[in-house]
């Protein structure tokens, strides 16, 4: 028996793959290496496959049969909000076309367990500070829309052919569990600030007049290692017969402002840098913090790391 991890050579996927492997599970990786790195999955059977391509279904079916796959963790997707606004067709084609092929292969081979990588982006700009899964989703960009529709696709498969699934709505993922699995893309706040420091430029704070204590945006930063463990908990949850929900937030339940993140980075790196106040970024909610009671209660999962551990591990991994 093994678990197939799509996007397993990516930053988050490789943490999931490694933690599963270290817990004694056989892991098979599928990744198109568009942003993933082969070096993160050395020693794991890996298929270089773009899920939305023609023929992907039969390749997946062959892999699932060969490796006796019993569950899938599906992370492979495009994930840049700004890019999704400019190239919506690519996001629908790759994220949802890929998921359709994956679900078809699962159905055809009788693989009935799925953990789906969803996102807090599916909430849009909620008017509450602590966001629970009962909040009506209202994604404001194509990326978030593909994540919400991906959840619906999984629910439809449950109705149609008995798929058991969990969708994990990630909040702001950062940090590194192993140095070689660091986030090498500079798309999110912490890696962007590190890149600026290395380049000798000033990091930017987008907006300083939000209705928050220091005026900068608040987010719920969750350590990638804690997130990886949430996938292990989700796979276990799929084996229980008392499942009450399909959708779970993954965060810490605590918020940090951009200025607090900058301060933590100063403490961790020992670099006394200055940051620049920049205009607000379109579509940024002032505050987004996960209500984590559901995953705490039902999966017995809780984040173990805070902002200090996140920044320290991320800095160590790239230093
Ligand atoms: C964090 C905070 C910025 C850069 C995104 C996606 C979300 C999810 C996680 C995938 C915000 C501020 C940033 C900078 C700044 N992705 N910022 N200066 O936008 O909260 O969430 O990543 O699932 O769907 O939307 O993350 O890291 O871009 O920004 O001040 O140079 O840092 O305004 O408040 P975001 P982020």
């Amino acid at each position: 028996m093994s678990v197939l991890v799509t996007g397993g050579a990516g930053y988050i996927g490789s943490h999931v793959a490694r933690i599963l492997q270290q817990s004694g599970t056989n892991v098979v990786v599928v990744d198109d290496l568009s942003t993933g790195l082969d070096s993160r999955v050395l020693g794991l059977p890996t298929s270089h496959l773009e899920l939305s391509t023609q023929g992907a279904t039969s390749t997946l079916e062959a892999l699932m049969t060969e490796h006796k796959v019993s569950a899938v963790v599906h992370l492979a997707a495009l994930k840049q909000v700004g890019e999704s606004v400019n190239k919506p067709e690519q996001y629908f084609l790759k994220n949802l076309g890929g998921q359709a092929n994956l679900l078809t292969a699962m159905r055809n081979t009788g693989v009935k367990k799925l953990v789906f990588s969803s996102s807090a982006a599916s909430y849009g700009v909620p008017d509450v500070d602590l966001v629970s899964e009962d909040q009506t989703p209202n994604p404001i960009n194509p990326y978030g829309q593909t994540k919400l529709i991906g959840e619906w696709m999984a629910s439809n498969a449950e109705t149609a052919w008995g798929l058991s699934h969990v969708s994990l709505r990630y909040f702001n993922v950062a940090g590194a569990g192993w140095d070689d699995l660091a986030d090498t893309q500079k798309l999110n706040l912490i890696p962007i600030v590190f890149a600026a420091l290395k380049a000798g430029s000033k990091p930017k704070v987008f907006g300083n007049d939000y209705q928050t204590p220091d005026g900068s945006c608040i987010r719920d930063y969750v350590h990638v290692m804690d997130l990886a463990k949430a996938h292990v908990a989700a796979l276990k949850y799929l084996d229980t017969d008392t499942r009450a929900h399909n959708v779970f937030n993954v965060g810490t339940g605590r918020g940090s402002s951009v200025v607090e993140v900058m301060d933590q980075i100063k403490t961790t790196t020992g670099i006394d840098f200055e940051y620049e106040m920049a205009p607000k970024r379109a579509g940024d909610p002032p505050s987004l913090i996960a209500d984590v009671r559901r995953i705490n209660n039902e999966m017995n999962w809780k984040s173990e790391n805070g902002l200090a551990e996140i920044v320290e591990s991320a800095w160590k991994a790239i230093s």
Side-chain angles (χ1 to χ4, degrees), residues 79 81 119 121 143 171-172 187-189 192 204-206 217 219 221 258 281 284:
K79 63 164 190 178
V81 170
S119 169
Y143 166 71
F171 279 65
N172 290 64
L187 300 173
N188 295 108
L189 177 62
I192 289 172
K204 292 187 170 72
V205 175
F206 295 148
C217 284
R219 295 289 180 274
Y221 295 89
V258 178
R281 198 173 60 173
D284 256 343

Side-chain angles (χ1 to χ4, degrees), residues 205-211 215 217 277-284 286:
V205 175
F206 295 148
N208 64 355
D209 59 353
Y210 285 99
Q211 296 293 307
C217 284
M277 288 301 174
K280 284 179 176 168
R281 198 173 60 173
D284 256 343

Side-chain angles (χ1 to χ4, degrees), residues 2-16:
S2 54
V3 174
L4 178 79
V5 181
T6 75
Y11 160 56
I12 300 174
S14 61
H15 281 85
V16 174

Side-chain angles (χ1 to χ4, degrees), residues 12 78-82 117-122 141 143-144 147 169-173 187-193 196 202-207 210 216-221 256-259 261-262 276 278-288:
I12 300 174
L78 299 176
K79 63 164 190 178
Q80 295 185 45
V81 170
S117 160
S118 187
S119 169
S122 55
N141 51 61
Y143 166 71
K147 288 296 170 183
R169 290 183 177 162
Y170 309 165
F171 279 65
N172 290 64
V173 186
L187 300 173
N188 295 108
L189 177 62
I190 294 170
I192 289 172
V193 175
K202 279 189 190 173
K204 292 187 170 72
V205 175
F206 295 148
Y210 285 99
S216 66
C217 284
I218 295 177
R219 295 289 180 274
D220 185 335
Y221 295 89
S256 305
S257 72
V258 178
V259 168
V261 173
M262 296 288 183
E276 201 173 284
K280 284 179 176 168
R281 198 173 60 173
D284 256 343
S287 178
L288 203 56

Side-chain angles (χ1 to χ4, degrees), residues 139 159 274:
T159 309
E274 286 177 13

Side-chain angles (χ1 to χ4, degrees), residues 1 11 23 51 149-150 187 202 209 244 267 286 315:
M1 289 300 197
Y11 160 56
S23 68
L51 296 179
I149 298 170
L187 300 173
K202 279 189 190 173
D209 59 353
T267 306
W315 181 246

